[in-house]
Amino acid sequence: MTLTLGLPSKGRLMADTIAWFAARGIAIAQAGAEREYRAEAAGLPGLEVVMLSAGEVPRELAAGRIHLGVTGEDLIRERVPQAGLESLAQMGFGKANLVIAVPAFWIDVETMSDLDAACADFRETHGTALRIATKYHVLTRSFFREHGIADYRLVDSQGATEASPANRTAEAISDITTTGATLRANHLRVLEDGEILKSQANLWHSPSAPWSEPAERTLAELRARLDQS
Amino acid sequence: MIRPLLTEDALAEIEGMLATLAGIFSDAGYAPVEPAHLFPAETLLELYGEDVRSRAFLFNDPEQGGELCLRPDFTVPVALAHGDGGWERARGYAYHGPVFRRQESGSKRAVEYVQAGLEDFGAEDRAAADAHVFALTLHGLDALSAPGQHVTTGDLSIIFGLLDALDLPEHRAGPLRRHLWRPKRFQRLIQRFSSPAEAPSASRSGLLKAVREGRVAELAMAAGEPVGRRALAEVTARAERLAATQAEAPMPGEQAELISAVLAVKAPMGEALEQLRGIAAAAGVALAPVLDRFEARMAAMVTRGLAPENLNFEAGFGRNLEYYDGFVFEVLAKEGTDHPPLAGGGRYDSITARLGAARPIPAVGAMIRPEAVQAAIRGRA
């Protein structure tokens, strides 16, 4: 039985992933017509590649339908934290940080501790909890719990999260940032201790996938190639 | 696990236990009530914050116009039902049925289990009501032949009373009261308040200077466009408070020690009361009202046939048990077990105001877990 590797099927992430494997002697090319999402990996017999959206990879890994997968650590920790997935390699691209950002003009709020006080004041002034817009509910709640902040509400935001304060759908945000340019453009600032996660693309291993002997052998060969580079 | 599969006779045994408890509660004047299994999640979210999502099952129902919640306990649904009929009435309710709790992944604890309990609203003699609910719970456990019955009691009104009596500035008292149920955070706050103020960061110094020079609004606008609901006036107000508290002396060491000393009290009830009176007298702190109620509660327990001098009391107990703010207790099958408790309960007056009462009304309740009792009897606890 082959070892199935799930890869991101679009954009920069796909290009960086293919380059990463190529540098380690594994050539990946799309098979068949343009829209056919299957690829063959030359240089490592027994490895079958499937192209998935970055968001599908965590689910497929957790369900054990793929043996290995490439996706950001943020998605794994957010969507399938209980799946016991192991990272075989930090791939050095797809870097982005999950951060808590507040309107920059809140010059009285620099830290999570300040935010806690602001949450209490906000409730007194407005009668409701201060809202944080995010699509990273699990990671954000866990971070707030670590910092002992309870009096807030999460508002789901699947896109353009940085616009939430301006839209008045939330007062602050928890979002992925790379250069910080988008945050600044939206008049937001990251809290000093507001970094939840430094994320990048990882090669993940699914313990619940069907690890036959041939699949294990292919994995061993793959690991040997990774160690060599 | 969702819930253990019960054999027919185990199920019959649980039904029998529920009937026994229903009889005991009814004889004591608690009217049966059957709130729905589902209710709007908004109430719990407002009460407990986002954390409730890790404890309860919430899900979206666009048809209902918002999130619904499977009841993690009966307290809020019963309280809301009571409030619907008028908060200011004195009423007691008994209930039984399943509740639904999220567990940590890999936990062996059931996600769905049965509770039988009661909630008592509006009884102005709080000490008597505490004793009554507590005695009924123990009586119920005895009627079910629950073995072991290791009891721990607490009284969170003592630490709240201490915080009031110390007359701390609000910017310290507020966070301490808010974080009482998070012991680690509470401790860190005490440490921070007791330590000399750290030299402010460069940006914080800039802010404090701006306050002194009346330039906060200017500095804020320079930092960014005012976006969002939190207004510039709120930023300015907080900045001014920060400046005012910056110059304040740290919390005196004796106050921090006093708080620790009170939280550390752990003794049989009678002895604990003596220790607390002694600590309060030595520190010259007015704890008489809460301690007098403690004593009245003990007397009421005696009236109910209990021997409170021997009951375990821990001043720091109950800080992880939901949002109790007064008398609190838990009964385990045996000391130190990590099996679920056989029973537990406590007073939660302040929650009633957050649920809609015009002012906090007396509210105390307790519940028994028949399945835990059954497991204990069968030697599995």
Side-chain angles (χ1 to χ4, degrees), chain B residues 150-155 158 261-277 279 294 297-298 301 307-317 327-328 335:
Chain B
H150 179 82
V151 177
T152 308
T153 66
D155 185 348
I158 294 176
V262 166
L263 283 172
V265 168
K266 183 173 168 171
M269 237 187 225
E271 220 179 284
L273 178 58
E274 289 312 305
Q275 285 181 21
L276 287 166
R277 289 215 191 272
I279 293 171
F294 189 113
R297 186 186 305 125
M298 285 181 66
M301 286 182 183
E309 317 77 53
N310 300 323
L311 287 172
N312 300 317
F313 175 86
E314 294 178 25
F317 179 72
F327 175 62
V328 65
E335 194 173 356

Side-chain angles (χ1 to χ4, degrees), chain A residues 108 110 114 121 126 154, chain B residues 50 203 230 234 238 241:
Chain A
D108 63 313
E110 293 178 350
D114 288 328
D121 289 350
H126 296 268
L154 290 184
Chain B
E50 288 289 330
S203 47
R230 187 171 185 250
E234 295 170 69
R238 181 146 181 278
R241 271 204 310 281

Side-chain angles (χ1 to χ4, degrees), chain B residues 55-80:
Chain B
R55 289 191 286 128
F57 292 98
L58 271 61
F59 50 95
N60 235 319
D61 185 355
E63 302 277 319
Q64 296 291 329
E67 285 183 283
L68 293 178
C69 172
L70 277 173
R71 65 185 183 212
D73 59 51
F74 279 84
T75 303
V76 167
V78 171
L80 290 175

Side-chain angles (χ1 to χ4, degrees), chain B residues 205-370:
Chain B
S205 300
L207 177 65
L208 298 173
K209 183 158 181 280
V211 173
R212 287 195 297 275
E213 296 169 1
R215 292 186 301 112
V216 175
E218 196 187 301
L219 194 63
M221 300 288 283
E225 233 180 77
V227 288
R229 268 176 85 206
R230 187 171 185 250
L232 184 55
E234 295 170 69
V235 172
T236 313
R238 181 146 181 278
E240 282 164 6
R241 271 204 310 281
L242 283 172
T245 62
Q246 184 68 19
E248 262 180 32
M251 181 190 258
E254 312 86 63
Q255 279 188 348
E257 276 158 27
L258 179 58
I259 293 173
S260 292
V262 166
L263 283 172
V265 168
K266 183 173 168 171
M269 237 187 225
E271 220 179 284
L273 178 58
E274 289 312 305
Q275 285 181 21
L276 287 166
R277 289 215 191 272
I279 293 171
V285 140
L287 274 189
V290 287
L291 293 181
D292 286 348
R293 185 170 340 150
F294 189 113
E295 195 164 358
R297 186 186 305 125
M298 285 181 66
M301 286 182 183
V302 169
T303 314
R304 295 279 175 189
L306 301 174
E309 317 77 53
N310 300 323
L311 287 172
N312 300 317
F313 175 86
E314 294 178 25
F317 179 72
R319 294 165 78 192
N320 293 320
L321 297 182
E322 309 301 338
Y323 278 82
Y324 296 125
D325 54 22
F327 175 62
V328 65
F329 73 94
E330 195 172 72
V331 185
L332 302 179
K334 59 172 180 265
E335 194 173 356
T337 182
D338 51 33
H339 284 260
L342 302 178
R347 175 164 291 281
Y348 53 94
D349 296 2
S350 49
I351 300 278
T352 59
R354 297 184 62 182
L355 289 176
R359 56 172 186 105
I361 62 152
V364 60
M367 63 83 207
I368 292 176
R369 300 175 65 143

